[in-house]
Amino acid sequence: MSADPLRVACIGMGWWSDVLADAIQRSGKLEIRGCYTRSDEKRKNFAAKYRCRPAASYEALLADAEIEAIINTTPNDVHLATTCAAAAAGKHVFLDKPIANTIADGRAITEACRKAGVVLALGYQRRRESHFRYIRREIDAGRFGRLVNAEANISRDRLGKIDLTSWRYQAAGMPGGVMLEIGIHYVDVLTYLIGPIQAVRAQSAQLVLPGDNPDVASLILQHENGALSTLNASYASASEYYLMNVYGKEMTAFYDDLHNGLRLLKRGESQPVAVPCTNNDTLVEELEEFAAAARGQRQHEVGGEEATRSLAVVRAGILSAREGRSVEVAEILNDGNV
């Protein structure tokens, strides 16, 4: 196997493309060789900042035999076209979450990469945070006993900070608003920790931000193992905040990012015990895993099927909020038009 860095090109020059490019520079396992976006100015600025070649067109970028993989941070509604084109050109794809806006597109993306024999990796870095890895190890070791419940919150302050011309804040570009944009991260974490989600009941509201999309959403999730969890996501709160509490018959894990970090409380004990966890570089970890997968050395943790199921949970929440009923995830997955 080659020990040289995976040669990648970046497409879609938004703020997140720079975040991933910075992570690539912190790693020695990938190297940015090219970039493309429709804006000449953004393309040239990115190329100058990361010392790579700007391509005149996406087709020219894909025709470059030196490029092995694409880092795709384009808008959700062009994930299908851009990823299928990359797969047809034999390029591996690291695709920012969500996989798409519709289940049909998610499945088509997954199938195109499978048929082309290229790696499709989705950017769900939050499951890699050291505190969640620790909780998962304790669950796997049986120390939680039967999992019964979890509660999660992912909140950010976006008041006065949003650009309503951006696809990220429009219902057409980001259906479901805050839950699809950031809540889906914790849909993935809850699935990772508790198990697959079977049914969803949801409410959403637009309370603070302008535009046409929910800035607050709440989900009640029924997992296949019988456990229940709740997930709140907000763009309307006064601060950024992350919380994840996992309750088992024998032990509970409490995590929040502002106060006490990770704590564990065992059955019969009265005080939780703090668990020190390092701040690991989750972006570098997932990108290096992608590079290894592209070289045939391992499998990436979140692929197309897992990402499509997380999308189905959010889509079930959108339907539940609209119709006022519990929605089975299978109902969404069975409707190819959603």
Side-chain angles (χ1 to χ4, degrees), residues 69-323:
I70 299 297
I71 308 297
N72 189 343
T73 59
T74 57
N76 298 350
D77 61 358
V78 295
H79 281 184
L80 176 61
T82 53
T83 302
C84 287
K91 313 297 186 186
H92 305 289
V93 180
F94 182 93
L95 181 61
D96 187 38
K97 62 82 202 158
I99 190 169
N101 281 339
T102 69
I103 302 303
D105 280 6
R107 284 181 166 152
I109 287 169
T110 304
E111 182 63 10
C113 291
R114 186 194 68 79
K115 283 186 175 180
V118 300
V119 172
L120 171 64
L122 274 295
Y124 280 97
Q125 77 276 9
R126 292 205 169 271
R127 63 162 52 205
R128 299 174 183 274
E129 293 171 4
S130 59
H131 36 270
F132 296 143
R133 294 303 205 197
Y134 184 92
I135 294 171
R136 175 62 186 266
R137 289 194 297 271
E138 294 295 289
I139 290 171
D140 289 345
R143 296 188 181 95
F144 274 77
R146 181 170 185 177
L147 296 171
V148 296
N149 192 228
E151 55 186 335
N153 183 92
I154 181 167
S155 295
R156 294 177 187 168
D157 174 19
R158 284 292 183 267
L159 183 61
K161 302 174 183 178
I162 70 169
D163 175 8
L164 290 180
T165 66
S166 170
W167 60 273
R168 292 182 181 274
Y169 300 105
Q170 298 176 16
M174 189 67 71
V178 66
M179 189 55 72
L180 185 59
E181 173 67 357
I182 61 172
I184 197 169
H185 271 301
Y186 270 11
V187 168
D188 176 68
V189 173
L190 286 166
T191 300
Y192 170 68
L193 295 176
I194 311 297
I197 295 163
Q198 178 176 307
V200 182
R201 181 173 285 277
Q203 289 285 123
S204 63
Q206 186 180 357
L207 301 178
V208 173
L209 300 184
D212 61 357
N213 236 354
D215 55 10
V216 176
S218 298
L219 306 182
I220 300 175
L221 307 168
Q222 179 184 351
H223 295 259
E224 290 183 358
N225 60 8
L228 300 178
S229 62
T230 58
L231 169 57
N232 296 316
S234 172
Y235 272 156
S237 57
S239 64
E240 189 163 332
Y241 183 60
Y242 302 89
L243 175 141
M244 179 70 67
N245 295 335
V246 178
Y247 302 90
K249 178 176 176 291
E250 302 300 331
M251 187 162 70
T252 298
F254 304 97
Y255 169 76
D256 72 78
D257 70 320
L258 289 180
H259 302 104
N260 299 301
L262 177 63
R263 294 160 296 147
L264 295 180
L265 180 61
K266 297 180 181 179
R267 173 179 287 275
E269 297 181 352
S270 59
Q271 294 295 324
V273 176
V275 179
C277 293
T278 58
N279 290 324
N280 55 317
D281 196 331
T282 58
L283 294 173
V284 168
E285 287 182 12
E286 68 175 356
L287 286 163
E288 290 186 349
E289 185 179 81
F290 169 62
R295 293 281 166 79
Q297 297 167 351
R298 63 181 302 179
Q299 185 173 346
H300 196 272
E301 193 165 315
V302 182
E305 292 184 2
E306 296 85 357
T308 300
R309 188 169 182 91
S310 289
L311 172 62
V313 172
V314 175
R315 296 294 317 202
I318 295 171
L319 183 59
S320 173
R322 185 168 66 237
E323 298 189 354

